[in-house]
Amino acid sequence: MLNINHVRQQFPILTETVNGKPLVYFDNGATTQKPQRVIDAIVHYYTHQNSNIHRGVHALSRTATDAYELGRTAVQQFIGAKHAHEIIFTKGTTDSINLVANSFSRAFLKTGDEIIVSEMEHHSNFLPWQNLRDEKGIVLKVIPLTATQDLDIEAYKKLLSDKTRLVAVTQVSNTLGVINPVKEIIAEAKKYGAKVLLDGAQAVPHMKVDMQELDADFYAFSMHKVYGPTGMGVLYAKEELLQAMPPYQYGGGIIKSVTIGTSEWADLPNKFEAGTPNIEAGPATKAAIDFVNEIGIEAIAKHEHELLIYATKQLQAIQETEIYGNTANKAGVISFNIKKVHPFDTGTLLDQMGIAVRTGHHCTQPLMHCLGIPGTVRASFAVYNTIEEVDAFITGVKKAVKMLL
Ligand code: PLP
């Protein structure tokens, strides 16, 4: 059983008030709050360990390097990667996907090759491929949605062809919370020899992900959405792919040797980590993963699911609201509108009541075009949210209905 008080006590920000009201933080899809141990890890790093990593022989540099690399090992174990060097540290999901678009395309793509994305992608998993279409003459195909806003898997199967080189889809929609059948998507792609990139930004915080079980070729996520630091992203990729791909940024840290004539690349993962990274995010990443492991990702998923079911039921009972993503298989995200009301107006009123939700297109404009709406109000849950907070949110929505209609 989740001890919610014990969980909440670990997050100092949750005692803040907003507009004189206790903060109800339902914007976890954008970023989660940080437990004390993550904050402490950053303070500890700068107080006791600060030094540049990897190239120093002095003690402090070795300490900082070890602390940073412990973050990598923690990620490796957390997502079940075979090797720590299959974990490339980036700035975030966006950076991870851009790395693949840039490097994979130079190694493996030519004009006329095809990439498949879906209509529900975050712009981070859409624009890099749209750009390749325009720059390299790649054909970009888009999986449509069904009436319940699931991916249309039958349509997907028809989009696949011998020319498909990459399928890049999100595991969980940041706007709708819909969980996609990624194992089936991967199995279908493999029939054509296509590689698969999963955007795991909204999956890793909410469910167990295991690279051996999923067998994705690339997997991207951001630590700041998993109770960890900003500026720390992960690109997991299978070793043989990383070996075959060229660096995507050039500079210090990625080489074995450099002469005026040529350069030899460093071993993995350094080949893809040019320049000084966000070092303190290494130990902070380990602290965040320790936090999740201590509770257990399954317990987190169960708690968030209870919040989702409860909130959905309450919201459905308010006739003036419309919920998007009406499928059974969802993570803790609920997107809705008060009918005929702009989401910004609803969000602004909720903010006055201390309730933080996200409003707008959620960086999924193609999805908004598909739904025929300018945006939604999105409440996204984390392990520290409570049923009482959902009640406060529902009271807020009812007030907003009265005031805005
Ligand atoms: N992909 C999805 C599904 C997301 O939800 C987000 C952020 O909201 C991103 C990608 C981009 O993540 P970041 O801004 O951390 O790079």
Side-chain angles (χ1 to χ4, degrees):
M1 241 310 256
L2 190 81
N3 182 342
I4 190 74
N5 288 334
H6 177 62
V7 170
R8 287 182 67 84
Q9 277 160 11
Q10 296 179 58
F11 289 83
I13 209 169
L14 296 181
T15 56
E16 294 286 311
T17 52
V18 171
N19 293 322
K21 308 275 174 9
L23 166 67
V24 173
Y25 188 77
F26 281 173
D27 194 17
N28 296 290
T31 197
T32 53
Q33 298 303 342
K34 315 305 168 201
Q36 189 63 50
R37 71 176 80 186
V38 169
I39 301 166
D40 288 347
I42 294 169
V43 173
H44 181 80
Y45 170 78
Y46 281 117
T47 313
H48 299 291
Q49 302 173 315
N50 179 46
S51 183
N52 212 332
I53 56 170
H54 289 151
R55 289 171 298 283
V57 292
H58 63 82
L60 210 51
S61 176
R62 289 203 308 275
T63 305
T65 303
D66 289 349
Y68 187 67
E69 291 302 324
L70 280 177
R72 198 187 308 276
T73 318
V75 171
Q76 177 208 347
Q77 289 165 357
F78 187 54
I79 65 168
K82 263 195 202 134
H83 309 289
H85 58 250
E86 291 177 320
I87 306 299
I88 309 299
F89 279 154
T90 65
K91 280 190 303 190
T93 310
T94 306
D95 199 25
S96 298
I97 297 172
N98 273 278
L99 190 167
V100 178
N102 190 306
S103 174
F104 179 80
S105 71
R106 279 192 285 140
F108 295 112
L109 296 183
K110 57 179 189 325
T111 303
D113 284 346
E114 296 175 359
I115 293 179
I116 299 179
V117 296
S118 89
E119 212 166 12
M120 65 166 77
E121 295 313 311
H122 190 282
H123 295 162
S124 294
N125 196 28
F126 188 75
L127 298 182
W129 314 118
Q130 192 182 55
N131 183 52
L132 276 186
R133 179 198 68 190
D134 297 343
E135 277 193 350
K136 249 194 133 155
I138 303 297
V139 178
L140 189 60
K141 293 179 165 179
V142 183
I143 310 168
L145 306 188
T146 66
T148 50
Q149 286 99 45
D150 286 299
L151 284 190
D152 186 337
I153 295 298
E154 291 313 310
Y156 163 60
K157 289 179 190 166
K158 290 187 192 130
L159 294 179
L160 283 161
S161 82
D162 291 334
K163 289 188 175 165
T164 311
R165 296 287 168 267
L166 186 76
V167 177
V169 291
T170 193
Q171 189 170 5
V172 174
S173 157
N174 63 305
T175 301
L176 304 171
V178 173
I179 302 173
N180 290 322
V182 288
K183 282 182 85 168
E184 188 182 355
I185 289 171
I186 292 170
E188 291 298 326
K190 281 195 193 316
K191 290 182 189 167
Y192 295 86
K195 304 294 180 208
V196 177
L197 177 146
L198 294 182
D199 175 347
Q202 299 294 339
V204 176
H206 302 298
M207 63 179 68
K208 175 88 193 134
V209 296
D210 182 276
M211 292 307 113
Q212 305 316 309
E213 198 207 327
L214 274 179
D215 202 24
D217 298 289
F218 300 102
Y219 196 94
F221 65 98
S222 304
M223 277 313 299
H224 71 90
K225 295 182 196 286
V226 202
Y227 311 103
T230 47
M232 178 55 115
V234 173
L235 174 68
Y236 157 84
K238 289 183 180 165
E239 181 177 11
E240 64 270 22
L241 277 169
L242 290 173
Q243 296 290 10
M245 286 160 46
Y248 91 121
Q249 285 183 334
Y250 295 84
I254 69 160
I255 51 90
K256 270 191 184 134
S257 69
V258 180
T259 66
I260 298 292
T262 186
S263 301
E264 193 189 347
W265 308 134
D267 292 332
L268 297 175
N270 297 353
K271 183 170 91 171
F272 292 104
E273 295 183 359
T276 300
N278 192 5
I279 304 171
E280 74 278 15
T285 287
K286 175 167 172 15
I289 290 175
D290 286 348
F291 166 78
V292 171
N293 284 338
E294 215 169 271
I295 299 170
I297 190 74
E298 287 83 4
I300 294 175
K302 183 169 175 286
H303 176 70
E304 291 173 352
H305 189 69
E306 280 162 14
L307 295 174
L308 175 72
I309 298 298
Y310 183 74
T312 304
K313 227 170 152 184
Q314 305 285 320
L315 212 51
Q316 277 168 342
I318 307 172
Q319 276 172 10
E320 293 84 353
T321 63
E322 183 172 4
I323 298 175
Y324 307 97
N326 291 302
T327 183
N329 207 11
K330 280 178 69 172
V333 175
I334 183 163
S335 234
F336 72 100
N337 274 325
I338 297 173
K339 286 174 194 165
K340 300 194 206 100
V341 173
H342 198 281
F344 288 167
D345 296 335
T346 310
T348 305
L349 276 180
L350 288 172
D351 179 55
Q352 284 168 13
M353 301 172 219
I355 300 163
V357 290
R358 188 136 296 241
T359 54
H361 54 66
H362 316 295
C363 295
T364 54
Q365 284 192 9
L367 173 62
M368 293 300 125
H369 296 153
C370 161
L371 295 173
I373 51 175
T376 74
V377 181
R378 180 187 73 180
S380 49
F381 305 123
V383 64
Y384 41 69
N385 291 131
T386 65
I387 292 287
E388 291 73 26
E389 288 182 321
V390 174
D391 285 339
F393 161 70
I394 293 295
T395 305
V397 174
K398 283 181 182 160
K399 271 192 199 156
V401 167
K402 270 207 190 120
M403 290 172 76
L404 295 171
L405 284 182

PDB file of all heavy atoms in Angstrom, residues 24 33 57 73 91 99 103 111 113 126 146 184 186 200 212 230 247 251 263-264 286-287 307 320 325 354 356 382 393:
ATOM      1  N   VAL A  24      -2.291  22.571  -5.813  1.00  0.00           N
ATOM      2  CA  VAL A  24      -2.667  21.265  -6.372  1.00  0.00           C
ATOM      3  C   VAL A  24      -1.932  21.178  -7.711  1.00  0.00           C
ATOM      4  O   VAL A  24      -2.273  21.908  -8.650  1.00  0.00           O
ATOM      5  CB  VAL A  24      -4.191  21.147  -6.575  1.00  0.00           C
ATOM      6  CG1 VAL A  24      -4.532  19.847  -7.307  1.00  0.00           C
ATOM      7  CG2 VAL A  24      -4.910  21.212  -5.232  1.00  0.00           C
ATOM      8  N   GLN A  33       7.469  17.404  -9.886  1.00  0.00           N
ATOM      9  CA  GLN A  33       8.196  18.024  -8.780  1.00  0.00           C
ATOM     10  C   GLN A  33       9.334  17.096  -8.331  1.00  0.00           C
ATOM     11  O   GLN A  33       9.383  15.942  -8.743  1.00  0.00           O
ATOM     12  CB  GLN A  33       7.228  18.328  -7.639  1.00  0.00           C
ATOM     13  CG  GLN A  33       6.144  19.303  -8.046  1.00  0.00           C
ATOM     14  CD  GLN A  33       6.703  20.633  -8.578  1.00  0.00           C
ATOM     15  OE1 GLN A  33       7.875  20.981  -8.356  1.00  0.00           O
ATOM     16  NE2 GLN A  33       5.882  21.382  -9.306  1.00  0.00           N
ATOM     17  N   VAL A  57      42.819  13.342 -13.773  1.00  0.00           N
ATOM     18  CA  VAL A  57      43.454  12.295 -12.957  1.00  0.00           C
ATOM     19  C   VAL A  57      43.319  12.635 -11.480  1.00  0.00           C
ATOM     20  O   VAL A  57      43.562  11.792 -10.629  1.00  0.00           O
ATOM     21  CB  VAL A  57      44.963  12.096 -13.279  1.00  0.00           C
ATOM     22  CG1 VAL A  57      45.151  11.522 -14.661  1.00  0.00           C
ATOM     23  CG2 VAL A  57      45.748  13.381 -13.105  1.00  0.00           C
ATOM     24  N   THR A  73      24.398   4.001 -14.789  1.00  0.00           N
ATOM     25  CA  THR A  73      24.126   2.619 -14.399  1.00  0.00           C
ATOM     26  C   THR A  73      22.707   2.488 -13.841  1.00  0.00           C
ATOM     27  O   THR A  73      22.018   1.493 -14.090  1.00  0.00           O
ATOM     28  CB  THR A  73      25.130   2.158 -13.306  1.00  0.00           C
ATOM     29  OG1 THR A  73      26.412   2.634 -13.668  1.00  0.00           O
ATOM     30  CG2 THR A  73      25.163   0.668 -13.161  1.00  0.00           C
ATOM     31  N   LYS A  91      20.135  16.183 -23.480  1.00  0.00           N
ATOM     32  CA  LYS A  91      19.461  17.234 -22.705  1.00  0.00           C
ATOM     33  C   LYS A  91      18.043  16.838 -22.322  1.00  0.00           C
ATOM     34  O   LYS A  91      17.455  17.378 -21.407  1.00  0.00           O
ATOM     35  CB  LYS A  91      19.368  18.518 -23.550  1.00  0.00           C
ATOM     36  CG  LYS A  91      20.644  19.322 -23.568  1.00  0.00           C
ATOM     37  CD  LYS A  91      20.395  20.685 -24.200  1.00  0.00           C
ATOM     38  CE  LYS A  91      19.825  20.531 -25.596  1.00  0.00           C
ATOM     39  NZ  LYS A  91      19.735  21.686 -26.427  1.00  0.00           N
ATOM     40  N   LEU A  99      19.060  13.626 -31.981  1.00  0.00           N
ATOM     41  CA  LEU A  99      20.298  12.847 -32.174  1.00  0.00           C
ATOM     42  C   LEU A  99      20.053  11.731 -33.198  1.00  0.00           C
ATOM     43  O   LEU A  99      20.811  11.547 -34.149  1.00  0.00           O
ATOM     44  CB  LEU A  99      20.750  12.252 -30.842  1.00  0.00           C
ATOM     45  CG  LEU A  99      22.127  11.600 -30.735  1.00  0.00           C
ATOM     46  CD1 LEU A  99      22.491  11.382 -29.266  1.00  0.00           C
ATOM     47  CD2 LEU A  99      22.307  10.306 -31.482  1.00  0.00           C
ATOM     48  N   SER A 103      21.862  11.611 -36.759  1.00  0.00           N
ATOM     49  CA  SER A 103      22.925  10.625 -36.942  1.00  0.00           C
ATOM     50  C   SER A 103      22.455   9.400 -37.734  1.00  0.00           C
ATOM     51  O   SER A 103      23.137   8.958 -38.669  1.00  0.00           O
ATOM     52  CB  SER A 103      23.429  10.200 -35.554  1.00  0.00           C
ATOM     53  OG  SER A 103      24.355   9.171 -35.670  1.00  0.00           O
ATOM     54  N   THR A 111      17.238   9.487 -50.132  1.00  0.00           N
ATOM     55  CA  THR A 111      16.023  10.021 -50.736  1.00  0.00           C
ATOM     56  C   THR A 111      15.082   8.883 -51.129  1.00  0.00           C
ATOM     57  O   THR A 111      15.511   7.892 -51.714  1.00  0.00           O
ATOM     58  CB  THR A 111      16.399  10.835 -51.998  1.00  0.00           C
ATOM     59  OG1 THR A 111      17.323  11.844 -51.590  1.00  0.00           O
ATOM     60  CG2 THR A 111      15.195  11.496 -52.632  1.00  0.00           C
ATOM     61  N   ASP A 113      13.426   6.974 -49.067  1.00  0.00           N
ATOM     62  CA  ASP A 113      13.152   6.103 -47.919  1.00  0.00           C
ATOM     63  C   ASP A 113      11.963   6.659 -47.132  1.00  0.00           C
ATOM     64  O   ASP A 113      11.675   7.862 -47.192  1.00  0.00           O
ATOM     65  CB  ASP A 113      14.378   6.031 -46.995  1.00  0.00           C
ATOM     66  CG  ASP A 113      15.475   5.145 -47.575  1.00  0.00           C
ATOM     67  OD1 ASP A 113      15.189   4.392 -48.531  1.00  0.00           O
ATOM     68  OD2 ASP A 113      16.613   5.213 -47.081  1.00  0.00           O
ATOM     69  N   PHE A 126       8.022  14.831 -34.227  1.00  0.00           N
ATOM     70  CA  PHE A 126       7.389  15.095 -35.520  1.00  0.00           C
ATOM     71  C   PHE A 126       8.276  16.009 -36.370  1.00  0.00           C
ATOM     72  O   PHE A 126       8.624  15.690 -37.505  1.00  0.00           O
ATOM     73  CB  PHE A 126       6.008  15.727 -35.305  1.00  0.00           C
ATOM     74  CG  PHE A 126       5.217  15.851 -36.562  1.00  0.00           C
ATOM     75  CD1 PHE A 126       4.619  14.742 -37.139  1.00  0.00           C
ATOM     76  CD2 PHE A 126       5.092  17.079 -37.201  1.00  0.00           C
ATOM     77  CE1 PHE A 126       3.908  14.844 -38.324  1.00  0.00           C
ATOM     78  CE2 PHE A 126       4.379  17.190 -38.384  1.00  0.00           C
ATOM     79  CZ  PHE A 126       3.792  16.072 -38.938  1.00  0.00           C
ATOM     80  N   THR A 146      -8.274   6.434 -34.562  1.00  0.00           N
ATOM     81  CA  THR A 146      -9.654   5.942 -34.659  1.00  0.00           C
ATOM     82  C   THR A 146     -10.573   6.941 -33.958  1.00  0.00           C
ATOM     83  O   THR A 146     -10.103   7.923 -33.372  1.00  0.00           O
ATOM     84  CB  THR A 146      -9.791   4.581 -33.955  1.00  0.00           C
ATOM     85  OG1 THR A 146      -9.565   4.805 -32.555  1.00  0.00           O
ATOM     86  CG2 THR A 146      -8.792   3.559 -34.478  1.00  0.00           C
ATOM     87  N   GLU A 184       3.132  -4.546 -30.605  1.00  0.00           N
ATOM     88  CA  GLU A 184       2.569  -4.908 -31.912  1.00  0.00           C
ATOM     89  C   GLU A 184       3.159  -4.013 -33.013  1.00  0.00           C
ATOM     90  O   GLU A 184       3.508  -4.489 -34.106  1.00  0.00           O
ATOM     91  CB  GLU A 184       1.044  -4.752 -31.855  1.00  0.00           C
ATOM     92  CG  GLU A 184       0.345  -5.285 -33.090  1.00  0.00           C
ATOM     93  CD  GLU A 184      -1.166  -5.080 -33.036  1.00  0.00           C
ATOM     94  OE1 GLU A 184      -1.692  -4.610 -32.006  1.00  0.00           O
ATOM     95  OE2 GLU A 184      -1.811  -5.388 -34.066  1.00  0.00           O
ATOM     96  N   ILE A 186       6.080  -2.641 -33.035  1.00  0.00           N
ATOM     97  CA  ILE A 186       7.456  -3.079 -33.286  1.00  0.00           C
ATOM     98  C   ILE A 186       7.474  -4.376 -34.096  1.00  0.00           C
ATOM     99  O   ILE A 186       8.235  -4.514 -35.067  1.00  0.00           O
ATOM    100  CB  ILE A 186       8.221  -3.247 -31.939  1.00  0.00           C
ATOM    101  CG1 ILE A 186       8.427  -1.872 -31.280  1.00  0.00           C
ATOM    102  CG2 ILE A 186       9.560  -3.944 -32.138  1.00  0.00           C
ATOM    103  CD1 ILE A 186       8.938  -1.916 -29.853  1.00  0.00           C
ATOM    104  N   GLY A 200       9.406   7.705 -25.153  1.00  0.00           N
ATOM    105  CA  GLY A 200       8.935   7.195 -23.858  1.00  0.00           C
ATOM    106  C   GLY A 200       8.749   8.279 -22.807  1.00  0.00           C
ATOM    107  O   GLY A 200       8.625   7.970 -21.615  1.00  0.00           O
ATOM    108  N   GLN A 212      14.539  -5.131 -22.949  1.00  0.00           N
ATOM    109  CA  GLN A 212      14.629  -6.501 -23.487  1.00  0.00           C
ATOM    110  C   GLN A 212      13.240  -6.984 -23.900  1.00  0.00           C
ATOM    111  O   GLN A 212      13.077  -7.645 -24.920  1.00  0.00           O
ATOM    112  CB  GLN A 212      15.257  -7.457 -22.465  1.00  0.00           C
ATOM    113  CG  GLN A 212      16.610  -7.021 -21.950  1.00  0.00           C
ATOM    114  CD  GLN A 212      17.528  -6.510 -23.058  1.00  0.00           C
ATOM    115  OE1 GLN A 212      17.709  -7.171 -24.078  1.00  0.00           O
ATOM    116  NE2 GLN A 212      18.094  -5.327 -22.873  1.00  0.00           N
ATOM    117  N   THR A 230      16.111  18.664 -14.595  1.00  0.00           N
ATOM    118  CA  THR A 230      16.000  19.118 -15.979  1.00  0.00           C
ATOM    119  C   THR A 230      17.389  19.028 -16.616  1.00  0.00           C
ATOM    120  O   THR A 230      18.407  18.927 -15.926  1.00  0.00           O
ATOM    121  CB  THR A 230      15.488  20.569 -16.078  1.00  0.00           C
ATOM    122  OG1 THR A 230      16.208  21.366 -15.151  1.00  0.00           O
ATOM    123  CG2 THR A 230      14.013  20.665 -15.791  1.00  0.00           C
ATOM    124  N   PRO A 247      28.933  10.397 -34.867  1.00  0.00           N
ATOM    125  CA  PRO A 247      28.579  11.407 -33.854  1.00  0.00           C
ATOM    126  C   PRO A 247      27.598  12.403 -34.455  1.00  0.00           C
ATOM    127  O   PRO A 247      27.558  12.578 -35.683  1.00  0.00           O
ATOM    128  CB  PRO A 247      29.910  12.105 -33.563  1.00  0.00           C
ATOM    129  CG  PRO A 247      30.964  11.190 -34.044  1.00  0.00           C
ATOM    130  CD  PRO A 247      30.368  10.386 -35.157  1.00  0.00           C
ATOM    131  N   GLY A 251      33.259  17.755 -30.931  1.00  0.00           N
ATOM    132  CA  GLY A 251      33.956  18.587 -29.959  1.00  0.00           C
ATOM    133  C   GLY A 251      34.694  17.722 -28.960  1.00  0.00           C
ATOM    134  O   GLY A 251      34.953  16.534 -29.213  1.00  0.00           O
ATOM    135  N   SER A 263      40.204  12.190 -37.395  1.00  0.00           N
ATOM    136  CA  SER A 263      39.912  11.931 -35.974  1.00  0.00           C
ATOM    137  C   SER A 263      39.359  10.521 -35.833  1.00  0.00           C
ATOM    138  O   SER A 263      38.691  10.008 -36.727  1.00  0.00           O
ATOM    139  CB  SER A 263      38.882  12.922 -35.441  1.00  0.00           C
ATOM    140  OG  SER A 263      39.361  14.235 -35.578  1.00  0.00           O
ATOM    141  N   GLU A 264      39.650   9.950 -34.666  1.00  0.00           N
ATOM    142  CA  GLU A 264      39.108   8.620 -34.379  1.00  0.00           C
ATOM    143  C   GLU A 264      38.156   8.765 -33.192  1.00  0.00           C
ATOM    144  O   GLU A 264      38.508   9.379 -32.184  1.00  0.00           O
ATOM    145  CB  GLU A 264      40.265   7.675 -34.005  1.00  0.00           C
ATOM    146  CG  GLU A 264      39.868   6.223 -34.005  1.00  0.00           C
ATOM    147  CD  GLU A 264      40.986   5.342 -33.425  1.00  0.00           C
ATOM    148  OE1 GLU A 264      42.126   5.831 -33.265  1.00  0.00           O
ATOM    149  OE2 GLU A 264      40.698   4.181 -33.116  1.00  0.00           O
ATOM    150  N   LYS A 286      20.312   9.438 -10.407  1.00  0.00           N
ATOM    151  CA  LYS A 286      20.337   8.230  -9.572  1.00  0.00           C
ATOM    152  C   LYS A 286      19.380   8.394  -8.387  1.00  0.00           C
ATOM    153  O   LYS A 286      18.624   7.476  -8.053  1.00  0.00           O
ATOM    154  CB  LYS A 286      21.759   7.943  -9.080  1.00  0.00           C
ATOM    155  CG  LYS A 286      21.780   6.768  -8.112  1.00  0.00           C
ATOM    156  CD  LYS A 286      23.127   6.220  -7.829  1.00  0.00           C
ATOM    157  CE  LYS A 286      23.149   5.173  -6.715  1.00  0.00           C
ATOM    158  NZ  LYS A 286      21.903   4.580  -6.290  1.00  0.00           N
ATOM    159  N   ALA A 287      19.374   9.580  -7.790  1.00  0.00           N
ATOM    160  CA  ALA A 287      18.485   9.823  -6.638  1.00  0.00           C
ATOM    161  C   ALA A 287      17.015   9.683  -7.050  1.00  0.00           C
ATOM    162  O   ALA A 287      16.199   9.120  -6.309  1.00  0.00           O
ATOM    163  CB  ALA A 287      18.755  11.211  -6.059  1.00  0.00           C
ATOM    164  N   LEU A 307      -6.454   7.432  -9.425  1.00  0.00           N
ATOM    165  CA  LEU A 307      -6.763   8.859  -9.577  1.00  0.00           C
ATOM    166  C   LEU A 307      -7.442   9.118 -10.923  1.00  0.00           C
ATOM    167  O   LEU A 307      -8.418   9.876 -11.008  1.00  0.00           O
ATOM    168  CB  LEU A 307      -5.489   9.703  -9.476  1.00  0.00           C
ATOM    169  CG  LEU A 307      -4.746   9.709  -8.131  1.00  0.00           C
ATOM    170  CD1 LEU A 307      -3.438  10.483  -8.249  1.00  0.00           C
ATOM    171  CD2 LEU A 307      -5.612  10.299  -7.030  1.00  0.00           C
ATOM    172  N   GLU A 320     -21.356  19.448 -18.997  1.00  0.00           N
ATOM    173  CA  GLU A 320     -20.815  20.517 -19.857  1.00  0.00           C
ATOM    174  C   GLU A 320     -19.371  20.236 -20.272  1.00  0.00           C
ATOM    175  O   GLU A 320     -18.768  21.055 -20.959  1.00  0.00           O
ATOM    176  CB  GLU A 320     -20.869  21.867 -19.118  1.00  0.00           C
ATOM    177  CG  GLU A 320     -22.257  22.399 -18.838  1.00  0.00           C
ATOM    178  CD  GLU A 320     -22.887  21.823 -17.569  1.00  0.00           C
ATOM    179  OE1 GLU A 320     -22.286  20.904 -16.973  1.00  0.00           O
ATOM    180  OE2 GLU A 320     -23.975  22.267 -17.198  1.00  0.00           O
ATOM    181  N   GLY A 325      -9.708  11.264 -25.751  1.00  0.00           N
ATOM    182  CA  GLY A 325      -8.931  10.057 -25.458  1.00  0.00           C
ATOM    183  C   GLY A 325      -9.781   9.092 -24.655  1.00  0.00           C
ATOM    184  O   GLY A 325      -9.467   8.759 -23.513  1.00  0.00           O
ATOM    185  N   GLY A 354      -5.639  27.745  -7.131  1.00  0.00           N
ATOM    186  CA  GLY A 354      -4.419  27.044  -6.715  1.00  0.00           C
ATOM    187  C   GLY A 354      -4.164  25.755  -7.469  1.00  0.00           C
ATOM    188  O   GLY A 354      -3.295  24.968  -7.085  1.00  0.00           O
ATOM    189  N   ALA A 356      -2.917  23.778 -10.659  1.00  0.00           N
ATOM    190  CA  ALA A 356      -2.057  23.931 -11.841  1.00  0.00           C
ATOM    191  C   ALA A 356      -2.373  22.837 -12.854  1.00  0.00           C
ATOM    192  O   ALA A 356      -2.108  21.661 -12.608  1.00  0.00           O
ATOM    193  CB  ALA A 356      -0.590  23.845 -11.423  1.00  0.00           C
ATOM    194  N   ALA A 382       0.724  12.447 -10.749  1.00  0.00           N
ATOM    195  CA  ALA A 382       1.981  11.842 -10.298  1.00  0.00           C
ATOM    196  C   ALA A 382       1.710  11.131  -8.982  1.00  0.00           C
ATOM    197  O   ALA A 382       0.610  11.213  -8.427  1.00  0.00           O
ATOM    198  CB  ALA A 382       3.057  12.909 -10.116  1.00  0.00           C
ATOM    199  N   PHE A 393     -10.097  19.795  -7.619  1.00  0.00           N
ATOM    200  CA  PHE A 393     -10.079  20.067  -9.065  1.00  0.00           C
ATOM    201  C   PHE A 393     -11.506  20.018  -9.639  1.00  0.00           C
ATOM    202  O   PHE A 393     -11.914  20.909 -10.403  1.00  0.00           O
ATOM    203  CB  PHE A 393      -9.150  19.029  -9.717  1.00  0.00           C
ATOM    204  CG  PHE A 393      -9.294  18.817 -11.180  1.00  0.00           C
ATOM    205  CD1 PHE A 393      -8.903  19.778 -12.096  1.00  0.00           C
ATOM    206  CD2 PHE A 393      -9.794  17.609 -11.671  1.00  0.00           C
ATOM    207  CE1 PHE A 393      -9.017  19.557 -13.455  1.00  0.00           C
ATOM    208  CE2 PHE A 393      -9.904  17.374 -13.023  1.00  0.00           C
ATOM    209  CZ  PHE A 393      -9.521  18.354 -13.930  1.00  0.00           C
TER     210      PHE A 393
END
